[in-house]
Amino acid sequence: MMPTHIPLDYYLILSAVLFVIGVVGVVTRRNAIIIFMSLELMLNAVNLSMVAFSSYLGDIAGQMFVFFIMAVAAAEAAVGLAIVLALFRNKQTVYVDEINIMKW
Amino acid sequence: MDLQVVLFTLFAIGAIVSALFTVTRKNPVSSAMSLVAHFFMLTGLYLTLQAQFVAAVQVLVYAGAIMVLVVFVIMLLNVGREAQQTGPRTLRTTITVVSAAIIAVMIASVLLSKPTGYNTLHERAATMGNTSSIGKTLFTEYIFPFEAVSLLLLAALIGAVVLAKRHVKETES
């Protein structure tokens, strides 16, 4: 039987599930680019819960925060991918388990 | 039956499936394409929440700008399929167990908590998410963070150029 309306909790559960999928991606993958994409998944999961709260509580602050999170995510994407590029140029790999120059 | 219920079910399933594809595909290009699909599913979810401006920005910024950047980097690096994990077996098992524990705790804490009691969208939601309302708030109440973000983007721009620049050795003849 389908419910006749969607309570806020459904959006929060969906957001938690998406966040955990992102966490699993970050801890289990080796490719730095895919780790980076999993980070984006986590950011978007948080954005979803922010917008859900904003719409259900009638407060615009949540959508403002999403706007700023997107700006920070764009900055993070530019710098993160530049780091991956610089790393590949020096080590010829994007697999994080082969990069151990900080180990001693 | 309410339209929101149908759309939520559709987009929620789509979002979870495309997120799983993003995390599990061996080929980074398939991962990137699944992530684009995921962003479009989230756009649909934002529309069910009547946040039209956020939905439009989601498509422009994420599916447009950020994913183009990612796909370009994949092209530049020419990375193929991910090789079989080489790390020690015990470490991988530990990671899997820890991730499973995190999932269990998060889902359990959400399911066991009391219902929030917010069952329908706020009556203000219909007029709140449009561009004029967002713009008014952004340029009055949030003007300082807005300007700070422009500084942050400038710093990121310079940082990205400095990091990705090929360091040419100055050869003096």
Side-chain angles (χ1 to χ4, degrees), chain B residues 148-163:
Chain B
V149 155
S150 67
L151 207 63
L152 173 80
L153 288 175
L154 178 68
L157 188 72
I158 296 171
V161 169
V162 169
L163 278 171

Side-chain angles (χ1 to χ4, degrees), chain A residues 65-85:
Chain A
F65 269 84
V66 168
F67 191 69
F68 292 122
I69 290 172
M70 279 180 182
V72 172
E76 175 239 329
V79 175
L81 289 171
I83 290 175
V84 172
L85 216 57

Side-chain angles (χ1 to χ4, degrees), chain B:
Chain B
M1 192 156 40
D2 197 19
L3 185 64
Q4 196 200 3
V5 178
V6 179
L7 290 178
F8 175 82
T9 317
L10 210 67
F11 288 128
I13 292 170
I16 290 175
V17 168
S18 55
L20 283 174
F21 265 98
T22 308
V23 169
T24 52
R25 290 302 90 187
K26 290 274 176 257
N27 188 338
V29 179
S30 325
S31 269
M33 290 305 127
S34 314
L35 194 55
V36 173
H38 178 74
F39 289 151
F40 276 104
M41 296 299 163
L42 280 181
T43 306
L45 285 170
Y46 291 154
L47 287 176
T48 65
L49 289 166
Q50 309 218 345
Q52 301 95 335
F53 184 72
V54 173
V57 170
Q58 171 84 10
V59 173
L60 287 176
V61 174
Y62 274 110
I66 293 183
M67 287 323 289
V68 167
L69 207 60
V70 170
V71 171
F72 256 95
V73 169
I74 292 172
M75 183 197 75
L76 282 176
L77 302 188
N78 195 19
V79 281
R81 297 165 60 82
E82 192 164 312
Q84 201 61 44
Q85 296 285 72
T86 50
R89 199 86 200 158
T90 48
L91 181 69
R92 289 189 56 203
T93 319
T94 318
I95 288 173
T96 315
V97 169
V98 169
S99 319
I102 297 173
I103 299 175
V105 169
M106 280 191 80
I107 292 180
S109 65
V110 174
L111 288 180
L112 294 180
S113 60
K114 257 191 338 196
T116 50
Y118 291 100
N119 288 327
T120 49
L121 292 182
H122 199 277
E123 67 259 24
R124 263 206 305 269
T127 53
M128 204 177 62
N130 60 28
T131 313
S132 110
S133 145
I134 295 264
K136 267 181 199 138
T137 319
L138 193 62
F139 290 118
T140 53
E141 210 178 322
Y142 290 87
I143 186 71
F144 183 70
F146 182 77
E147 296 294 341
V149 155
S150 67
L151 207 63
L152 173 80
L153 288 175
L154 178 68
L157 188 72
I158 296 171
V161 169
V162 169
L163 278 171
K165 196 179 65 170
R166 198 179 289 277
H167 293 285
V168 186
K169 288 255 163 57
E170 285 178 33
T171 47
E172 284 147 60
S173 51

